[in-house]
Amino acid sequence: MSDSREGLLTVDLQAVGDNYLVLRERLADGSRCGAVVKADAYGLGMARVAPALYRRGCRDFFIATQAEGETLRALLPEDADIIVLTGVRPGRELECARAGLVPVLFTPQQLRAWVDSCARAGIRAPCSLKVDSGMTRLGMSSAELRQLLTERDLLRAADIQLLLSHLACADEPAHPQNARQLECFRRAGEELKALCPQVSLSLANSSGIFLGDDYHFDIARPGSALYGVNPVPGSPNPMRAVVELSLPVVQKRYVAEESSVGYGATQKAAAGSWLAVARGGYADGILRAQGGRGCGWACDRRLPMVGRVSMDSATYDISALSEAQREALENIEVLNRELTVDEVAGYAGTIGYEILTGLGHRYFRRYLRS
Ligand SMILES: *Cc1c(COP(=O)(O)O)cnc(C)c1O
């Protein structure tokens, strides 16, 4: 039953698939396009998004946790690889291998534990390694990698499928860190491949794809761009918008005298203005940080938010609408093709990623054809 009384979140799977093809087209010859579907496909619903990407030809799926991987394994055919970006907890190695998941390992010790656990069970399961090329988050240092390369027995026993690293500044093409990380990763890749020639290399996230062919290596790992976030901030967005969010108006009111609106009385509505209170607040992912700055959308125009965002509602100034439009107004859109995740993120002082992953669970979700 389609019950959109508490808001309608529309996810366009066709647009996700088209975005996948746009990214794949940009890749250098010989590079494959994977897909990052962690955090429930950035909040959009992995159960629908991942199979749609598989149908478009994606075979390399990246998720954050083992639990996400186990869920995804049941959704995809066996020929899809599922790589767990935050690795495997100590003692869970065999469970991970038996679930058909490929962990990303960050230290030589983790690789040894993986190989030993699998050997004790009589199996040889694929894994991947991460090298830190300059972000100083996850991954082994170049020195640790070099140390690992002296452990020939371990490398022979391991089935290392992939070496990856992550860019810290891919969305700033002019940042000198990009070239430094590229060089560091290239060197690490050459050293590992000299001993393990079967290893594939992966560096680029969404924005990394737009840094040029040098960054593509064997597999790209886009996430946000698949879901419509602009991978090239400051330039026109090459991706299609994927989400639309429409909230029901639960009260319209005329303000006869200048009145403060919402908690803290932080902002005033002018005498003679019309307001609409929409059912959707910070518990639904309408970030409170955009209070007084953000906007909604109706009748082809932006409508300013007034006052703070509440837990379950937010207030919009609809004075700019004609009387007929006002009377007919039933919903306010807070995300659409015009009012993009990137624009809304700007009002809240955050990034599109946080808008998507924060989308609430009280909306009715509708998926458009894939
Ligand atoms: C989340 C993540 C990605 C995807 O990044 P986007 O910027 O969303 O494309 C790629 N690689 C790693 C290691 C990640 O954690």
Side-chain angles (χ1 to χ4, degrees):
M1 194 187 72
S2 160
D3 181 356
S4 57
R5 277 174 294 182
E6 305 305 334
L8 176 63
L9 176 65
T10 306
V11 177
D12 187 344
L13 295 174
Q14 179 80 34
V16 174
D18 288 353
N19 286 341
Y20 177 75
L21 296 186
V22 165
L23 296 170
R24 192 167 74 186
E25 276 298 299
R26 289 203 75 100
L27 293 178
D29 287 348
S31 298
R32 298 208 297 278
C33 194
V36 181
V37 294
K38 63 191 179 188
D40 203 23
Y42 290 47
L44 304 189
M46 181 175 75
R48 301 297 301 268
V49 167
L53 288 165
Y54 183 89
R55 286 194 291 277
R56 294 298 186 109
C58 183
R59 295 295 179 269
D60 304 277
F61 292 84
F62 297 84
I63 40 80
T65 70
Q66 193 170 326
E68 290 174 350
E70 285 165 13
T71 305
L72 183 58
R73 190 72 277 174
L75 294 167
L76 294 177
E78 260 178 35
D79 65 339
D81 279 343
I82 300 177
I83 298 117
V84 186
L85 289 170
T86 62
V88 57
R89 302 293 84 76
R92 308 289 292 274
E93 290 86 355
L94 214 46
E95 195 182 284
C96 182
R98 290 200 165 122
L101 305 176
V102 181
V104 175
L105 305 172
F106 310 117
T107 66
Q109 294 75 8
Q110 285 181 351
L111 179 61
R112 203 164 298 115
W114 177 258
V115 168
D116 288 349
S117 303
C118 292
R120 276 197 299 275
I123 58 174
R124 187 165 177 271
C127 62
S128 51
L129 296 182
K130 188 163 190 180
V131 64
D132 171 28
S133 56
M135 184 164 176
T136 322
R137 192 177 63 176
L138 291 167
M140 58 188 88
S141 65
S142 307
E144 283 174 307
L145 179 64
R146 221 156 286 136
Q147 169 63 33
L148 177 63
L149 294 178
T150 65
E151 301 188 41
R152 301 295 165 93
D153 289 347
L154 177 57
L155 290 178
R156 243 190 310 277
D159 177 8
I160 304 169
Q161 186 177 303
L162 185 67
L163 177 71
L164 50 89
S165 191
H166 196 48
L167 295 163
C169 307
D171 56 347
E172 298 176 60
H175 202 296
Q177 170 114 348
N178 291 316
R180 282 199 297 269
Q181 288 198 248
L182 175 64
E183 198 38 48
C184 177
F185 182 63
R186 202 201 309 271
R187 214 173 320 118
E190 279 166 10
E191 288 170 6
L192 182 61
K193 283 184 80 120
L195 296 171
C196 307
Q198 79 286 354
V199 174
S200 296
L201 305 180
S202 174
L203 179 63
N205 64 338
S206 297
S207 295
I209 291 173
F210 293 82
L211 293 176
D213 292 5
D214 287 354
Y215 288 80
H216 297 167
F217 294 94
D218 299 305
I219 304 177
R221 310 186 306 271
S224 58
L226 293 170
Y227 314 119
V229 174
N230 188 357
V232 284
S235 302
N237 190 350
M239 315 318 300
R240 285 185 58 188
V242 168
V243 289
E244 253 177 46
L245 178 54
S246 172
L247 304 176
V249 170
V250 290
Q251 186 181 353
K252 290 175 233 175
R253 57 191 305 156
Y254 178 69
V255 179
E257 288 166 29
E258 185 183 74
S259 312
S260 63
V261 178
Y263 283 117
T266 54
Q267 235 187 336
K268 289 192 167 73
S273 49
W274 277 91
L275 301 178
V277 184
R279 223 302 297 147
Y282 59 78
D284 305 288
I286 311 300
L287 298 187
R288 190 171 174 281
Q290 66 182 312
R293 272 197 300 280
C295 59
W297 180 277
C299 306
D300 280 325
R301 66 194 310 156
R302 286 177 177 72
L303 300 167
M305 262 183 187
V306 201
R308 286 188 182 154
V309 176
S310 297
M311 186 183 293
D312 312 301
S313 67
T315 303
Y316 300 84
D317 189 328
I318 57 169
S319 308
L321 302 185
S322 70
E323 190 180 344
Q325 287 174 327
R326 228 163 44 222
E327 275 167 14
L329 184 71
E330 289 183 358
N331 298 289
I332 289 183
E333 292 178 15
V334 292
L335 287 173
N336 63 24
R337 206 160 306 225
E338 298 290 332
L339 186 53
T340 64
V341 284
D342 295 297
E343 179 179 339
V344 171
Y347 297 132
T350 182
I351 51 176
Y353 299 62
E354 200 177 14
I355 300 298
L356 293 178
T357 55
L359 287 169
H361 297 282
R362 296 195 282 193
Y363 308 127
F364 180 78
R365 289 175 175 234
R366 176 175 63 152
Y367 288 88
L368 300 185
R369 70 203 181 276
S370 69

